[in-house]
Amino acid sequence: MNYSIKRQINWAWNFAKGFHAQIFVYFLLELSSIVFSLLFVYYSKKSVDIALNVIPGDLRLHIFLVVGSVFAGIVAKLIATYINQKTQLKFTLRIQNQIVAKQLNAVWQVLKQWFTGDVMVRITNDCNEVVQMISHAGVNFIVTTLKLIATFIFLWVIDPMLAIMIIAISPLFLFSKIYFKRLRQLNYNVKQSESEVGNIMQENLRNRGLIQSLSIFAARHFIMESAQQNSLGLKLKQLNFNLFTQTMMKVAINVGYLTAFIWGIYRLHQNEITFGTMTAFLQLVGRIQSPILSLITFFPAFIRFRTSADRLMEIDLIEQVETSNNHFAEGINSIRFENVTFAYEHQDVIHKLNVDMKAGEPVAIVGASGKGKTTLIRLLLNLIKPVKGRIILEDKTGDVKDLNSSHKLNFSYVPQGNTLFSGSIYDNLRIINKSITEEQMINALNLACADFVFQLPEGLHTKIGEQSYGLSEGQAQRIAIARAILRDCDIWLFDEATSALDEETSNRLLDNLMKYAKEKIMIFVTHDEKVALRCKKVIQMN
């Protein structure tokens, strides 16, 4: 989606709240450096003319003012650079954290639109482009414009004809619509190719064990190289375009400088100006060409900002799950589905489901793949909403309420597969609640048949690598069950919780859960018939 310039700038500027004062101070310091630069030119001219006895004056004083203006400009520039770089670091962290938070809390229907690698590229590269524009390049554009105006006025005072000549031969042709349109398209294509490379790289690294196991290294490496070559080709096109435009700029700038130099020499030869004026004249020409070049190089950066802002706003403005009202609904006695229907692209996956899941009556959800078991989990967790019908929570007093996103805290959920985070076992358990004690962790691990943890060299503080490296699938599964138990909610939802366990451990785990959760709503989504036989109610998904 292409957003308007005004909306992009407003969006980015809102992110900079808290940094507006620092950006303004940076602007003032950069502005002061312009003043000191012009003072240097003025006092240099007077010093030369005084030294040649063209005008009267105190030479020592003017030399002191020349030196003072140089050092004042250096100090102002140093302080400005420090403030700006510090602001950029903090600003980058803020915008990256915001984009990550929006992804973590996006509604399920839009969350699946982006690959992880693509999001990572946007968070790193695109965030930097936006921060650079708002906190640095944008400010420099304003400062440079003011510098250009001030220098032009100064030059006009010395020689109006030269001032007009310099502006006339500057490479203003680059401010054309064709130039901007071409540059923006090139930037967009490069960004898209970088995201594609990021997607493939992330998949290859995440699944490197699988790639080795299936002996498909060559195939995956070829896919990666092809994406990289495509990205390289697009970047070379961008490079060629930039080199061509920069060459044209430099030619125009040098023509301007030579013209100014010849014009000044002519007027000096005709005794129409002093040598001091000629010195100031050449310095001003350099100072007016430099801002013009800076202004022109600003526009490629602005195009990159616009492309990056579009890509970030796509993520930042997506629909979010409501979390401000998250709360525990006390004493839930049952979950009731009333004529619940859900469809993907107009194809019913669940059709008019009516079922009652009560506390103390374990429920098994069974059925072949693709028959709606995963959809049922998403409905219970409120990741998706029914197309028709209602899902109702009933408490022990008989009061009822529709299930909504605020009730997620009522679910202790164990997803299928590897769900542990890198870090220690202690960290994984404590993530549920920072106030959980070590004694509670030990009890939960025993209940989840994860007592093997106590035999590990570092016990609870044993480190877990990426994708639970260092643990077997069954061990990781039992730790995930212990983590869910620690939430101690009224509703326990297990997705293939025994799939990686041997029969003895599975039976022991089920015995523990059935005994401990007599007053809880316990739901097992499973292919295991033995698990289903242990439940009082079996829901067959057809």
Side-chain angles (χ1 to χ4, degrees):
M1 182 179 291
N2 293 330
Y3 296 95
S4 67
I5 294 176
K6 181 179 179 181
R7 189 173 183 188
Q8 288 175 333
I9 293 175
N10 286 339
W11 171 82
W13 187 244
N14 284 334
F15 263 115
K17 285 181 178 176
F19 302 113
H20 291 174
Q22 292 93 317
I23 293 173
F24 183 66
V25 170
Y26 170 64
F27 167 74
L28 291 179
L29 287 168
E30 286 289 335
L31 208 58
S32 68
S33 70
I34 295 175
V35 174
F36 291 127
S37 175
L38 293 176
L39 286 174
F40 168 76
V41 174
Y42 175 73
Y43 290 124
S44 294
K45 172 190 176 303
K46 293 200 71 176
S47 296
V48 171
D49 286 341
I50 291 170
L52 295 175
N53 296 316
V54 176
I55 60 172
D58 188 338
L59 183 60
R60 290 183 181 180
L61 173 62
H62 283 80
I63 290 175
F64 174 79
L65 292 173
V66 168
V67 174
S69 60
V70 169
F71 280 100
I74 292 173
V75 171
K77 199 73 176 178
L78 283 174
I79 297 173
T81 301
Y82 173 77
I83 291 174
N84 186 247
Q85 291 184 358
K86 186 177 177 181
T87 301
Q88 286 186 53
L89 290 173
K90 292 183 176 181
F91 189 4
T92 300
L93 286 179
R94 172 179 291 182
I95 193 169
Q96 287 179 338
N97 287 338
Q98 175 78 358
I99 297 300
V100 171
K102 288 297 182 74
Q103 274 290 290
L104 293 178
N105 200 46
V107 299
W108 182 83
Q109 289 92 330
V110 297
L111 184 62
K112 60 183 181 179
Q113 294 178 11
W114 291 284
F115 288 96
T116 304
D118 177 23
V119 174
M120 288 297 296
V121 170
R122 297 184 191 215
I123 289 171
T124 52
N125 297 353
D126 292 329
C127 283
N128 285 334
E129 296 284 4
V130 169
V131 170
Q132 275 286 329
M133 178 54 57
I134 295 301
S135 62
H136 181 71
V139 175
N140 279 357
F141 174 75
I142 298 171
V143 170
T144 303
T145 302
L146 294 173
K147 182 178 181 180
L148 179 62
I149 294 170
T151 308
F152 179 80
I153 293 171
F154 210 145
L155 193 58
W156 180 277
V157 171
I158 294 176
D159 193 314
M161 182 58 68
L162 183 63
I164 294 171
M165 189 182 304
I166 291 295
I167 294 297
I169 63 175
S170 297
L172 300 179
F173 66 90
L174 289 177
F175 292 84
S176 67
K177 185 176 181 180
I178 296 174
Y179 168 77
F180 290 123
K181 186 176 181 180
R182 175 64 174 160
L183 190 58
R184 189 171 189 189
Q185 186 61 50
L186 285 170
N187 273 281
Y188 176 80
N189 292 341
V190 167
K191 291 288 186 183
Q192 291 295 97
S193 70
E194 287 177 345
S195 289
E196 183 182 354
V197 170
N199 292 336
I200 298 169
M201 187 179 295
Q202 187 268 340
E203 284 187 334
N204 284 352
L205 292 174
R206 184 186 61 192
N207 299 307
R208 50 191 181 271
L210 177 63
I211 290 170
Q212 289 183 9
S213 301
L214 298 177
S215 299
I216 56 173
F217 169 79
R220 290 300 302 179
H221 189 63
F222 174 77
I223 292 172
M224 181 70 184
E225 281 192 325
S226 298
Q228 287 177 319
Q229 287 300 317
N230 178 59
S231 181
L232 176 62
L234 291 170
K235 288 179 178 178
L236 287 174
K237 284 184 180 179
Q238 186 183 44
L239 176 63
N240 292 337
F241 182 76
N242 287 337
L243 283 175
F244 171 75
T245 53
Q246 286 175 15
T247 300
M248 297 301 293
M249 291 181 214
K250 289 177 181 178
V251 168
I253 290 296
N254 280 290
V255 168
Y257 183 82
L258 289 172
T259 303
F261 178 76
I262 294 169
W263 181 262
I265 290 293
Y266 171 77
R267 297 201 65 199
L268 184 64
H269 179 67
Q270 297 295 320
N271 293 320
E272 294 178 1
I273 59 173
T274 66
F275 186 73
T277 301
M278 177 65 182
T279 303
F281 181 69
L282 292 177
Q283 290 186 62
L284 287 171
V285 169
R287 280 167 170 73
I288 204 168
Q289 289 173 332
S290 177
I292 291 173
L293 188 58
S294 296
L295 284 176
I296 294 171
T297 56
F298 163 82
F299 288 98
F302 187 69
I303 295 298
R304 292 195 300 272
F305 158 76
R306 294 207 62 194
T307 305
S308 295
D310 279 340
R311 286 159 53 84
L312 291 175
M313 290 172 74
E314 282 181 344
I315 297 177
D316 186 54
L317 301 179
I318 57 177
E319 184 181 355
Q320 297 286 289
V321 174
E322 177 58 51
T323 59
S324 59
N325 296 319
N326 278 2
H327 65 277
F328 285 98
E330 298 291 341
I332 297 176
N333 191 54
S334 72
I335 303 175
R336 189 162 67 249
F337 282 65
E338 292 186 352
N339 293 316
V340 171
T341 296
F342 186 84
Y344 291 106
E345 297 179 355
H346 309 295
Q347 179 66 42
D348 283 1
V349 178
I350 295 177
H351 183 70
K352 292 186 177 179
L353 177 64
N354 289 282
V355 66
D356 199 359
M357 306 174 188
K358 295 183 178 180
E361 299 180 1
V363 177
I365 312 293
V366 300
S369 297
K371 295 300 181 180
K373 298 191 302 298
T374 300
T375 300
L376 186 64
I377 292 173
R378 290 170 181 163
L379 286 167
L380 284 167
L381 295 175
N382 210 251
L383 297 174
I384 55 178
K385 297 182 183 297
V387 176
K388 295 179 182 177
R390 301 169 65 195
I391 303 175
I392 298 171
L393 299 181
E394 182 178 337
D395 64 23
K396 297 187 187 304
T397 66
D399 290 338
V400 299
K401 61 189 71 177
D402 285 342
L403 177 71
N404 59 57
S405 60
S406 69
H407 296 127
K408 280 192 179 69
L409 295 179
N410 288 94
F411 287 82
S412 288
Y413 173 48
V414 180
Q416 185 176 358
N418 169 45
T419 60
L420 298 183
F421 300 100
S422 58
S424 67
I425 295 172
Y426 180 89
D427 294 333
N428 271 272
L429 296 177
R430 191 168 177 260
I431 198 171
I432 292 296
N433 187 340
K434 298 296 183 183
S435 63
I436 288 174
T437 65
E438 195 163 308
E439 182 181 357
Q440 289 173 305
M441 292 182 189
I442 292 171
N443 291 336
L445 288 167
N446 283 323
L447 186 59
C449 298
D451 43 345
F452 68 88
V453 170
F454 312 125
Q455 308 304 318
L456 297 173
E458 296 183 67
L460 281 168
H461 299 284
T462 299
K463 295 293 183 181
I464 301 173
E466 186 180 24
Q467 294 187 316
S468 300
Y469 181 77
L471 298 175
S472 71
E473 187 178 349
Q475 288 175 325
Q477 195 171 54
R478 283 175 279 168
I479 292 173
I481 292 170
R483 182 177 62 191
I485 289 171
L486 284 167
R487 176 164 272 180
D488 198 26
C489 302
D490 290 328
I491 307 166
W492 285 7
L493 177 57
F494 300 97
D495 186 5
E496 301 291 358
T498 62
S499 60
L501 305 182
D502 60 78
E503 186 174 351
E504 180 184 349
T505 305
S506 177
N507 287 332
R508 187 156 58 96
L509 173 65
L510 290 171
D511 287 340
N512 290 347
L513 294 178
M514 297 295 180
K515 181 179 178 180
Y516 184 82
K518 287 182 178 179
E519 296 184 0
K520 297 181 183 295
I521 300 172
M522 194 154 50
I523 306 166
F524 293 91
V525 177
T526 183
H527 285 97
D528 191 339
E529 292 182 1
K530 293 178 182 177
V531 174
L533 289 173
R534 299 289 297 270
C535 296
K536 292 186 178 181
K537 181 179 291 187
V538 177
I539 300 172
Q540 182 72 43
M541 303 298 291
N542 298 315

